[in-house]
């Protein structure tokens, strides 16, 4: 590290130079209850210790409570209104195309990871799915690879040759708990070998989409995670844990999914294909949730907003309908990338487009998903004591600030 650098400033926030290796972990889909239940069951002794004796808070994620907007908020320290990534998927009006929001060209500010690397820190990033890798690693000098494609890494592109051989585990299936375990195993290997100043680890919510807090499968996942976090701690790292969003059952009492098909309603009210429903949860890996979440944005003909908003708000299962300006103010979203209305469904309900456009055949467990206000609360844990006022609202994207600036000795 450079001897003269004592802090960096990015996106209006200042961060102290790490005094020890700092590891921020984003546990995808980590509803707070997963940690509580695993700790209570004795499955996560390290996490239980942090909760009991160090820093354990709840923080608010970014709405829409989806993976890309929140991961990018955590690594930039700012909401989507600033960084621009407001979904996994959106309608690019300029290109008139519905596209994945995985391309760094959509990113409107720099990341802490790139800024620390540029200032001379060694930085490493490991993410479960490759879809996030290019966004997280944008403009960053250092190591950045995914579990999913660990067999394809090169020094030139990922900062490391043969990450698969380096980690020493088999290449995991993209739909597996092992995809996340690989992230943690890689993090420990990296800490043992290169000891990066700053590390960011981001998992996948495969387990959380299938298994509720406290179930044997969920506790087994947190037991696995706990062991790796304990090793990072033992290696001297300051470890912050947060999540991109929570997770809830989206089913009725009989276990059937509760779905409001927005496009079908709008086609009936306005005529076929007059409105355009965008589901920002959409990504190439939809098997475990069928592209069904609790947040949608809707494009409408001019002048239709207020009337349609009222009709949508009257539908069973809909929690909130806001016009664009109000939604972007409240949720800190970029107005040019959102539709005319934002629709949020209730805790146990999801929104879809048209019934015919969702393939639910891959759902082999009752639907669990996220996207709405009901998945906004996530844990923010740190294996150090901190100076944080008890009543301050924390965001998940305060994780680096807490780990770097708030440790109390
Ligand atoms: Zn996620």
């Amino acid at each position: 590290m450079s001897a003269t650098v004592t802090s960096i400033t990015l996106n209006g926030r200042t961060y102290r130079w790490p005094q020890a290796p700092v590891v921020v972990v984003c546990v995808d889909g980590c509803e707070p209850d997963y940690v509580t239940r695993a700790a209570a069951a004795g499955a996560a002794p390290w996490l239980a210790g942090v909760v009991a004796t160090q820093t354990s808070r709840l923080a608010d994620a970014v709405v829409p409570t989806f993976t890309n907007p929140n991961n990018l908020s955590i690594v930039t320290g700012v909401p989507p209104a600033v960084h621009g990534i407001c979904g996994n998927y959106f309608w690019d009006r300029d290109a008139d195309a519905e596209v994945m929001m995985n391309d760094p060209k959509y990113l409107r500010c720099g990341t802490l990871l790139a800024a620390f690397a540029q200032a001379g820190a060694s930085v490493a990033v490991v993410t479960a799915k490759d879809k996030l890798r290019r966004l997280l690693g944008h403009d960053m000098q250092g190591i950045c690879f995914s579990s999913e494609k660990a067999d394809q890494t090169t020094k030139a592109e990922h900062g490391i040759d043969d990450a698969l051989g380096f980690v020493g585990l088999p290449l995991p299936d993209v739909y597996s708990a092992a995809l996340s375990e690989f992230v943690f195993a890689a993090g420990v290997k990296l800490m043992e070998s290169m000891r990066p100043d700053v590390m960011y680890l981001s998992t996948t919510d495969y387990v959380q989409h299938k298994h509720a807090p406290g179930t044997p499968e969920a506790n087994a996942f947190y037991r696995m995670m706990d062991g790796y976090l304990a090793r990072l701690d033992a290696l001297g790292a300051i470890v912050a844990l947060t999540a991109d969003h929570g997770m809830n059952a989206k089913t009725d009492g009989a276990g059937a999914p509760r779905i409001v098909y927005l496009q079908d309603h709008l086609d009936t009210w306005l005529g076929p294909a007059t409105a355009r429903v965008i589901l920002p949860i959409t990504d190439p890996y939809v098997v475990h949730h069928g592209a069904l979440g609790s947040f949608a944005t809707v494009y409408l003909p001019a002048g239709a907003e207020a009337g349609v908003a009222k009709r949508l708000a009257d539908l069973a299962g809909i929690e909130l309908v806001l016009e664009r300006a109000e939604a972007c103010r409240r949720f800190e979203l970029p107005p040019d990338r959102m539709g005319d209305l934002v629709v949020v469904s209730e805790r146990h309900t999801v929104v879809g487009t048209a019934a015919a456009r969702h393939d639910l055949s891959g759902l082999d467990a009752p639907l669990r998903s996220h996207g709405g206000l009901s998945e906004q609360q996530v844990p923010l844990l740190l294996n150090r004591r901190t100076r944080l006022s008890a009543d301050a609202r924390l965001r998940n994207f305060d994780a680096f600030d807490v780990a770097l600036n708030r440790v109390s000795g």
Side-chain angles (χ1 to χ4, degrees):
M1 99 179 222
S2 157
T4 55
V5 180
T6 57
S7 67
I8 64 163
T9 296
L10 182 81
N11 302 326
R13 304 181 73 168
T14 297
Y15 301 86
R16 285 173 57 192
W17 198 264
Q19 304 300 302
V22 163
V23 183
V24 172
V25 183
C26 178
V27 181
D28 200 316
C30 188
E31 185 74 17
D33 222 21
Y34 282 109
V35 174
T36 309
R37 299 289 296 272
W46 183 84
L47 284 164
V50 169
V51 169
T53 66
Q54 305 298 319
T55 300
S56 172
R57 297 285 295 260
L58 290 176
D60 285 338
V62 164
V63 176
T65 46
F66 293 130
T67 300
N68 287 15
N70 278 282
N71 270 272
L72 270 296
S73 283
I74 294 167
V75 302
T76 59
V78 286
V82 180
H83 63 66
I85 306 299
C86 54
N88 303 341
Y89 181 86
F90 85 122
W91 181 32
D92 184 340
R93 273 176 154 161
D94 299 333
D96 188 22
E98 295 183 15
V99 292
M100 303 303 307
M101 241 186 183
N102 294 342
D103 194 310
K105 74 183 180 190
Y106 298 120
L107 197 52
R108 291 175 165 163
C109 70
T111 71
L112 280 162
L113 307 166
F116 269 111
Q118 192 164 25
S122 55
V123 180
V125 177
V126 187
T127 169
K129 292 178 184 173
D130 205 62
K131 68 175 183 179
L132 259 176
R133 184 184 60 83
R134 282 199 306 147
L135 285 171
L136 294 175
H138 183 53
D139 272 348
M140 191 199 100
Q141 291 296 312
I143 291 176
C144 182
F145 65 91
S146 69
S147 306
E148 182 184 353
K149 298 199 172 162
D151 59 335
Q152 297 169 31
T153 68
T154 63
K155 181 94 179 153
E157 169 79 13
H158 308 85
I160 183 171
D161 283 322
D162 186 22
L164 189 64
F166 171 77
V167 175
L169 291 175
L171 188 72
D173 188 90
V174 71
Y175 295 111
S176 70
L179 197 73
S180 293
E181 174 160 10
F182 195 96
V183 171
F184 292 115
V188 168
K189 282 270 184 190
L190 288 163
M191 192 55 67
E192 287 170 344
S193 55
M194 67 170 279
R195 200 169 175 84
D197 299 307
V198 175
M199 186 150 71
Y200 184 67
L201 304 177
S202 184
T203 68
T204 171
D205 54 9
Y206 171 83
V207 168
Q208 290 82 356
H209 269 291
K210 284 189 184 303
H211 303 290
T215 57
E217 296 86 351
N219 284 351
F221 181 82
Y222 284 80
R223 182 188 298 279
M224 172 279 291
M225 192 169 93
D226 194 82
Y228 288 105
L229 296 175
R231 287 169 67 184
L232 290 170
D233 189 357
L235 289 162
I238 296 175
V239 180
L241 180 152
T242 190
D244 53 350
H245 51 80
M247 187 74 71
N248 277 299
K250 302 293 182 179
T251 47
D252 62 19
R258 289 170 53 119
I259 309 169
V260 178
Y261 287 110
L262 296 173
Q263 189 73 51
D264 289 339
H265 286 292
L266 293 164
D267 285 356
T268 304
W269 298 340
L270 305 173
T274 306
R276 179 195 295 263
V277 174
I278 297 290
L279 304 175
I281 192 174
T282 307
D283 76 11
Y285 320 76
V286 298
V287 171
H288 52 302
H289 54 63
L292 293 163
S294 288
F295 184 101
T297 187
V298 180
Y299 291 84
L300 292 168
E305 297 88 344
V308 171
K310 171 143 184 25
R311 294 185 81 169
L312 288 173
D314 284 343
L315 295 173
I318 299 300
E319 178 167 351
L320 185 68
V321 183
L322 297 173
E323 295 195 31
R324 179 197 292 114
E326 176 58 19
C328 290
R329 250 194 317 276
R330 175 159 172 189
F331 300 136
E332 300 174 279
L333 299 172
D336 61 319
R337 292 178 174 175
M338 301 304 295
D340 301 295
L341 298 179
V342 159
V343 182
V344 178
S345 57
E346 290 172 353
R347 181 175 174 202
H348 295 302
T349 303
V350 288
V351 283
T353 58
R357 289 170 60 183
H358 290 273
D359 178 9
L360 305 186
S361 63
L363 286 178
D364 55 5
L367 181 64
R368 300 175 53 76
S369 196
H370 53 95
L373 286 160
S374 45
E375 291 81 34
Q376 193 178 16
Q377 276 205 335
V378 293
L380 179 51
L381 307 179
L382 192 78
N383 65 340
R384 294 287 189 281
R385 296 198 178 163
T386 41
R387 294 180 302 270
L388 288 167
S389 83
D391 53 0
R393 182 192 188 200
L394 288 173
R395 308 300 305 269
N396 58 351
F397 58 82
D398 294 326
F400 275 100
D401 173 65
V402 170
L404 289 162
N405 300 335
R406 311 291 170 188
V407 172
S408 59

